[in-house]
Amino acid sequence: MVGNPTQRPSPELGAETVQLAIAMPLFLILALAFAQLAIMAFSVLTLSGQIEQAAWAVDVARLEQASSPQEADEIVSQAIAACAGATQGSSVVVSNSAFTRQEAYSRSQVTPILNNALVSDEEGLESYLLEELYRETSAGLVEFDVSCELPTLVNLPGLSHVRVSRHVVRERALSSRTEIR
């Protein structure tokens, strides 16, 4: 059925367009806020992984011998940068870096060998009696604070200029020795 050309237009003819014009900015803001939260979550997870890798990759001997807190922070910053590649910029701030030897984490253990074994060398010239197993581990704690400003897509209230901080403490072994006596 073809419409009547003499029929008057409906007064609600442009209502959908007006509703779309009102709803579109709200939908855009909602979509940008969701994208911002996704970027922030990705950044936090990425930074967390990089911090964990850096805690195990940091040079403990250099960190222990650092002459100043700034030098220790720089050593940890370099380890984080090496693990990060180009994903985090200069927004990562490291502070309170230190390595402390801990006697509580260092162990020395002697275990007797129950059936004393007699072992000969390849030529059969010398023989050894195995009596005990001696294990020694020297360890300490790597400790530092990391703070980072998360990237922002749009300056939305509550979602821009957000800073996350984390305190990291990891036990690291300096040396380990096992002897059969």
Side-chain angles (χ1 to χ4, degrees), residues 35-142:
Q36 176 69 26
L37 285 173
I39 289 170
M40 291 170 74
F42 176 74
S43 296
V44 167
L45 289 173
T46 303
L47 180 65
S48 180
Q50 293 164 355
I51 290 170
E52 287 298 321
Q53 287 179 351
W56 297 110
V58 69
D59 187 0
V60 180
R62 280 185 56 209
L63 187 60
E64 186 178 31
Q65 296 171 357
S67 60
S68 68
Q70 292 81 13
E71 183 182 352
D73 293 342
E74 183 61 30
I75 292 169
V76 174
S77 294
Q78 290 172 356
I80 292 173
C83 294
T87 56
Q88 295 291 338
S90 60
S91 64
V92 176
V93 178
V94 177
S95 59
N96 302 326
S97 302
F99 177 79
T100 52
R101 287 182 185 263
Q102 296 287 324
E103 292 305 318
Y105 296 107
S106 299
R107 297 169 195 78
S108 178
Q109 178 183 6
V110 177
T111 306
I113 297 176
L114 297 178
N115 298 329
N116 295 346
L118 187 62
V119 178
S120 301
D121 63 358
E122 291 179 8
E123 293 86 27
L125 300 176
E126 293 186 30
S127 297
Y128 305 96
L129 182 63
L130 306 179
E131 294 180 357
E132 62 185 14
L133 180 67
Y134 174 75
R135 294 182 184 148
E136 178 183 77
T137 303
S138 175
L141 295 177
V142 173

Side-chain angles (χ1 to χ4, degrees), residues 6-18:
T6 61
Q7 187 179 12
R8 302 177 91 191
S10 171
E12 296 181 14
L13 188 60
E16 290 86 10
T17 307
V18 171

